[in-house]
Amino acid sequence: MSGGEKVISIEPLTRVEGEGHLRLVMENGKIKEVSLIIDETPRLFEAFLVGRKYDEVHEIASRICGICYVAHQITALRAVEKAIGVSVTEEIKKLRRFLAFAGWIQSHSLHLAFLALPDYFGHESVFSMLKSPEHKDLVTLGIKLRTLGNKLVEQLGGRWAHPVTCVVGGFSKLPDQKWVEKAKEMLKEGKPDAEKLGKVVAKLEVPDFTVDREHVALWDPKEYPINEGRLRSNKGLDISEDEFTKFILESTDPKTNVKRSKVKGRDVLLVGPLARVNLNYDKLSDDAKALADEAGVKFPSQNPFLQNLARAMELVHSFDECLKILDELDITAIKPKVEFEVKPGIGAAVTEAPRGILYHGYRIGRNGLVMSANVVTPTVHNVSSAEADLWSFGPHIANLSVDEATLKCGMLIRAYDFCLSCSVHVLRL
Amino acid sequence: MAQVKMKEKAKVAIFKLSSCGGCQLQLVDAGEDFLKLLDHIDIVYFPIAKSENLDGPYDIVLVEGSACSAEEIEHLRKIRASTKYLVALGTCACFGGLQSIRNFEPTAKLVDMVYEKPPKSHPTKSFGIDEYVKVDAYVVGCPVEPSEVVEVIKSLLMGVKPRFPPYSVCVECKLRENECFLLKGIPCMGPITAGGCNALCPSSNRPCEGCRGPTKDPNSKALAKLLFELGATNEDVRRKFRKYAAASMAFAGVGV
Amino acid sequence: METLILRKEQLPQFIEHLRREYRVVGPVKKGNLVVFAEISKAEDLQLDYVTTMIPPKKVLLPQRETILKFKFENETPKVEQPAVDGKIVLFGVHPCDINAIKVLDKVLIEGEFKDPYYAQRRENTVIIGLNCTKAGEYCFCTSFGTGPGAKDGFDILLTDLGDRFLVEVGTDAGKKIVEGFKELSKAEDADIAKRDEILKKVAESIKRRIKTENLETLLLEKINDKIWQELADECLACGVCTTVCPTCFCYGVIDRVSADFKEGERIRYWDSCMFLEFAAVALGGNFRPGRDARLKHRMYHKLVYIKQQHGVFGCVGCGRCVEFCVKHIDPVDAVTRLSGD
C-alpha cells in the first residue's frame, strides 16, 4: 500500500464552517505536497468598516461569523470602548463573561456533536446518525446542548444568532431576576448532558500523534480566561493584547484567501481549546478536569486530535462558569449601560473565541467614525498549524487506503473546528 | 393516513456563497420542526453538516450569501440550472448583505486595504442573487428566522407560494406597544424595513437597523427627509440606508 | 338610567368585585406609554391616561387569532373551533374608543355578514367606560360627537369627579354588576352638573375639527386633488395608522401547516390597506398600486365609504393615526385644506 503516489483530496472540506479544500500528495510514504486552501471570497469587512460609526462596529463585526458572533461582538466592543475611552462596570464585564461562555456552549456543542463525532462512529453526518438506533441519542443530546446554549444567549442577548442587546457601554436592555433563576435551573439541568457528551468524547480513540507547536492562549492569574487576559504561550510568549500585532505576524498566501501567521522570530502557532487547556489547566473546574482523567490524558498535550477532548472539557467548564457568575450576580442592582462621551483614539482587544484568540483593533476619529479596522481570527493561525500537522502526519497514513487516509486527514482538520468564513477577514499589518 | 398531499421525499441542497454561515445554521436550529421536516426531505448537499454531498438535480436549493466573485457567480448559475426551486436564504442572498456597503467604492481599492498581495478570489460588488439568476422565494433577515425557513420549505413541498404577513417593522413594534424611536427623535429604519422579526431590536431598546431589507413599497426618500429633520447629516443618512441591503433598489440611491 | 357614586377609596373593592366574575383589562403604564392589559388590582390602573397607542379593539378583534384548527386523521380532515376566551371587563375605555367599538359592532355584527369570532367575544365583554377629563394634543372627537363624554355604547360609564366617580349604568349587564356591589351611593344633581361642567370644559379645549356637514360631497369632489400626491410623498406606507386605528377591521387569513404535515391552523391577522399587497389579486393585478391611492383610500373609507355602507363615520377622532404617524399625516389638516378654510 505504501508504494507509489497517493493523492488525498477533500473538496469541499465538509463539516467545517465555510468553503475550502485539501490536497495532500504522498509518494513512497513521504508527503510531497500539502495544500489546505480556503475558497471563501473575501468580504472585506476591515475595508468597509472604515467610515462606519463606533456604535455599529460590533453589530457589523458580528456578521463576520455565523457561529462565533458573540465573540466577535464582545471583542469589537472592548476594542471600540478602549479606543473611545469608555470603561464598563465590573457587573457588565461579568454579564459579558456569561454571554461569552454561553457562546462557547453554543459553539462547542455544535462542533462536537454535529461536526466531529460522526467520523468516530462511522457516519457521514448527523443525518445518518439519526437513522442509526445506536447513535441517534447522541444527536439528540447534541441538539439539547446546542439548544440550551442558544437559549442562554437569546435570553441575555435578545437573539441567539447575532444578538442585539450588546452595545457600547453595556447592554441596551437587561433581563430581570426571573431570568437569573430560570437560567440557573437550565444550566443545572443541562450540565449532566454536557458531562455525558464529554464522556463520549473522552472515550474516543485518537491517533498517538504529537507535534511540537507553540500554543498561544489568554492567561489570567485567577480565572479561566475568556474576554481578557495576557497572551502567553508554552514557548515563553507573555505579552499584553496591545502588543498583539508586534508579536503575531502575518503574510498573505496568494494560493488561498487566508493569511498565514507566525509568532515573531518563531514558527506557526496553535490556538483554541487545546492551547487554553494546556495553559490554564489549573483554573478548570473539577468536573471539567475529571474528563481528562476519564480519557487518561495528561495536559499539557501536543496531540492536535485532543482538541476535541479539550473542547469537551471546556463545554463542561462553561456550565460551571455560567452558574458561578449567576450565583454572584444581583441583576436588579445593575445599571445596563454606562454613560460616556466619545473621544478619538486607538483600541485593541483580544478575547478567546470558541476557536481561539480573536483580535480586533480600531482607530476611531474625532467624529466617532472608524478610520481603520483590523481583525485577526483564530482560524488564521490554525490553518497554518493544521497544514504543518499534515506535513508530519505521513507515518500515520502511509499504510492506509486512500479512503481511510482521507478520513484521518479529515478528522485531523475537523479537530481544529475551522471557521473559514472568519479566516478570510484579516487586515494587513 | 391522510395528510397534506405531497410527492415523494424532496431533494434539498444548501449552498453557501459569501456570507457568515449563520443562516444555514438557523435551519438546523429550528429544532423539532427541522427534525419533523426530515421525514419529508432528503438533505443531499450541505457541506457544513455532511461529508457525502451529491450533485443535482435537486428539488429545492437554499442559497446563503451573495455571489461576489466571478467563481461564485458561475457557481450560482450552475446551482440554478440544477434545481426546481431556488430560495434566497437571508439578507445577503436577498439584498447583498452587509458586504454591499462596499459597493460604492472601487473594489480594487478595498482589496488593497485588506491584502498585501492579491488573494485568490477577487471580490466584485455584492448584490442579491436575483441579479444573476431567477429566484423563486426569498427569506429575509440577518439572520433569518428559523420559523420562516421552515415555512418556506413547507410551502414549496406543498407547491404553494410562501406567505408571510406583509408588515413593516413599525407595525410589529406598535403591536408590542413599544415607544417609537423616531417620535423621540432617534433615527430608526422601522417604517420601511420588512417585518417578521417581531420588532426584536426596538423591543430590546435599540432602533431598527434594517437587517431584513426594504418593505414592498418603501418611501426611502420620505424617511431620509425625516432623518434630516432630526438632525442627521448626509453621511449619517447614507450609513443608515447603505447597510444590510445597500444593493437594494430602494436603498441604494438614498443620500447620494 | 340610574346614576350612582363610587368613592375613589372603594375602587380596589370594586375591581375585586369585577374580578370575581371577569378578567379585567384596563389602562396600565408601560414605560412612557399607557397600554390596555389585564390587571390584578386597582393600583395597576392608570386612569388619568389620554389615549393608548393600541386601542382596546385588540381584546375584541385580536391582532392574530386562530380561527380554526384542522387535523388529518381519517380521509377527511377534522376541523375544530378554538375556544373563545372567557368573560372580560374592558375597564376605563374612553368615549372615542367606546364609539369605535360601536362602529366595529355595526360592521362585524349588524352588517350583512356576522363575524362569529368577534360577535362571541363582544358578547362576553362588558365595557366600563371613562369620560375624558382632559384632551390630548391630537384629539378631535367633538367633530363626530364621539367624545369627550359618551352617550351610549357602554355597560357602565364613569366620570372622575375628583374624589369620586359618577357611575352611570347603560345596560342590564351593567346594572347587574352595580347591584352586586352594595357600597355605591346615589348621585346628587350636583354630581351630574359637575360632570357636565367638566365635559364642557374638555370639549372647549379641543380645537381640532373636521367639518362633517357635506363632508362626503366635498371629498368626492376632491378625489383627484393634488393634496393626495403631496401626502403620499410624505407617507412611509408603514401601516402604523391602520394598526393604531380603533375602527380598522381589515384582516388577512393565512393557513399554517405543521412541519409533519399532520395538522394545521387557519390564522387571521390585522392587515392594512396601506400595504402594497392589500389590493393585490391573482395574476399580478393590483387595484391600488400607488401610495397616493392607498392613503386616499384609507381616509375615504373612514370618512365616506363606511358612512355610505353602514351609516356611521369610520373615524371617531381619537387622533392616534396622527399622533403615532412619524410624519403626523393628519386627516383634519387634509380636510381643512380641501375645504379651503
Side-chain angles (χ1 to χ4, degrees), chain A residues 12-19 21 37-48 50-53 55-56 58-67 69 110 114-115 118-119 123-127 130-131 139 143 146-147 150 157-167 171-173 250-259 369 371 414 419 421 423-429, chain B residues 9 14-26 28-32 34-35 38 42-43 45-53 64 66 68-69 71-72 75 92 98-102 107 109-124 141-146 176 178 197 200-206 209-211 235-236 238-244:
Chain A
L13 284 178
T14 56
R15 281 184 279 124
V16 300
E17 196 290 326
E19 305 276 316
H21 68 272
I37 310 280
I38 314 302
D39 299 310
E40 288 276 331
T41 306
R43 286 192 291 154
L44 308 177
F45 270 72
E46 301 82 347
F48 68 73
V50 171
R52 303 301 301 196
K53 212 163 172 198
D55 62 359
E56 56 179 355
H58 68 287
E59 179 199 333
I60 294 175
S62 178
R63 270 73 181 181
I64 290 174
C65 181
I67 299 179
Y69 26 72
L110 176 81
F114 292 51
L115 310 185
D119 287 333
H123 291 280
E124 65 90 27
S125 71
V126 280
F127 304 118
L130 273 171
K131 288 177 196 147
V139 184
I143 293 177
R146 165 84 180 165
T147 307
N150 283 351
R159 175 168 63 197
W160 72 67
H162 302 307
V164 300
T165 61
C166 296
V167 292
F171 289 83
S172 64
K173 193 182 173 187
E250 296 179 296
S251 64
T252 309
D253 178 348
K255 266 201 309 219
T256 77
N257 287 327
V258 79
K259 296 199 160 190
L369 301 185
M371 295 172 74
R414 275 191 275 281
C419 183
S421 293
S423 66
V424 291
H425 305 293
V426 194
L427 185 68
R428 83 161 161 231
L429 302 167
Chain B
K9 264 185 154 186
I14 298 145
F15 285 90
K16 178 184 181 299
L17 303 174
S18 285
S19 61
C20 75
C23 287
Q24 44 183 341
L25 286 180
Q26 292 289 85
V28 177
D29 283 333
E32 274 298 300
F34 177 60
L35 293 179
L38 289 179
D42 268 328
I43 298 189
Y45 186 94
F46 193 11
I48 195 178
K50 280 170 67 70
S51 281
E52 287 165 16
N53 294 290
E64 180 199 272
S66 60
C68 325
S69 65
E71 295 93 326
E72 284 187 339
H75 189 196
C92 293
L98 277 178
Q99 57 267 25
S100 60
I101 292 174
R102 66 183 196 219
T107 314
K109 183 183 141 195
L110 300 174
V111 171
D112 193 49
M113 281 170 77
V114 179
Y115 290 90
E116 219 170 328
K117 294 170 203 150
K120 181 173 155 268
S121 315
H122 295 273
T124 57
C142 185
V144 293
E145 296 291 322
R176 288 189 73 169
N178 297 323
C197 55
L200 173 68
C201 291
S203 307
S204 306
N205 191 26
R206 290 188 64 189
E209 296 289 341
C211 86
E235 289 263 289
D236 295 335
R238 230 186 282 177
R239 262 200 310 278
K240 284 282 166 206
F241 282 85
R242 293 181 185 176
K243 200 164 181 177
Y244 293 91

Side-chain angles (χ1 to χ4, degrees), chain B residues 154 167-168 177 217 225, chain C residues 58 234 238 257 270 294:
Chain B
K154 281 190 300 189
Y167 295 157
S168 67
E177 301 183 270
D217 183 28
K225 190 176 150 209
Chain C
K58 70 178 184 182
E234 290 295 309
C238 64
V257 178
W270 293 357
R294 302 203 294 276

Side-chain angles (χ1 to χ4, degrees), chain A residues 124-139:
Chain A
E124 65 90 27
S125 71
V126 280
F127 304 118
S128 114
M129 281 174 82
L130 273 171
K131 288 177 196 147
S132 141
E134 203 185 337
H135 302 128
K136 191 171 177 257
D137 291 350
L138 268 177
V139 184

Side-chain angles (χ1 to χ4, degrees), chain B residues 2-3 33 151 154 163 166-168 170-171 174-179 191 216-217 219 222-223 225, chain C residues 30 32 35 53-54 58 63 72 74 232-235 238 253 256-257 269-270 277 291 294 327:
Chain B
Q3 56 180 40
D33 278 356
E151 191 55 44
K154 281 190 300 189
R163 276 185 65 202
Y167 295 157
S168 67
C170 277
V171 166
K174 292 291 160 291
L175 295 174
R176 288 189 73 169
E177 301 183 270
N178 297 323
E179 233 184 306
K216 286 279 154 55
D217 183 28
N219 191 348
L223 182 62
K225 190 176 150 209
Chain C
K30 183 189 183 228
N32 292 319
V35 304
M53 182 163 69
I54 298 292
K58 70 178 184 182
Q63 181 273 322
F72 297 98
N74 301 309
D233 288 343
E234 290 295 309
C235 174
C238 64
V253 175
R256 286 284 186 249
V257 178
Y269 57 90
W270 293 357
E277 286 137 318
R291 223 163 24 243
R294 302 203 294 276
K327 293 281 186 164

Side-chain angles (χ1 to χ4, degrees), chain A residues 71-89:
Chain A
H72 277 286
Q73 287 201 12
I74 292 173
T75 317
L77 283 171
R78 276 198 50 235
V80 167
E81 283 163 358
K82 269 171 84 176
I84 62 173
V86 178
S87 343
V88 299
T89 58

Side-chain angles (χ1 to χ4, degrees), chain A residues 90-110:
Chain A
E90 286 306 312
E91 282 79 15
I92 289 169
K93 282 185 192 167
K94 270 189 194 151
L95 285 170
R96 284 184 178 168
R97 192 171 156 82
F98 177 91
L99 201 60
F101 277 112
W104 280 14
I105 295 175
Q106 272 184 309
S107 180
H108 284 1
S109 58
L110 176 81

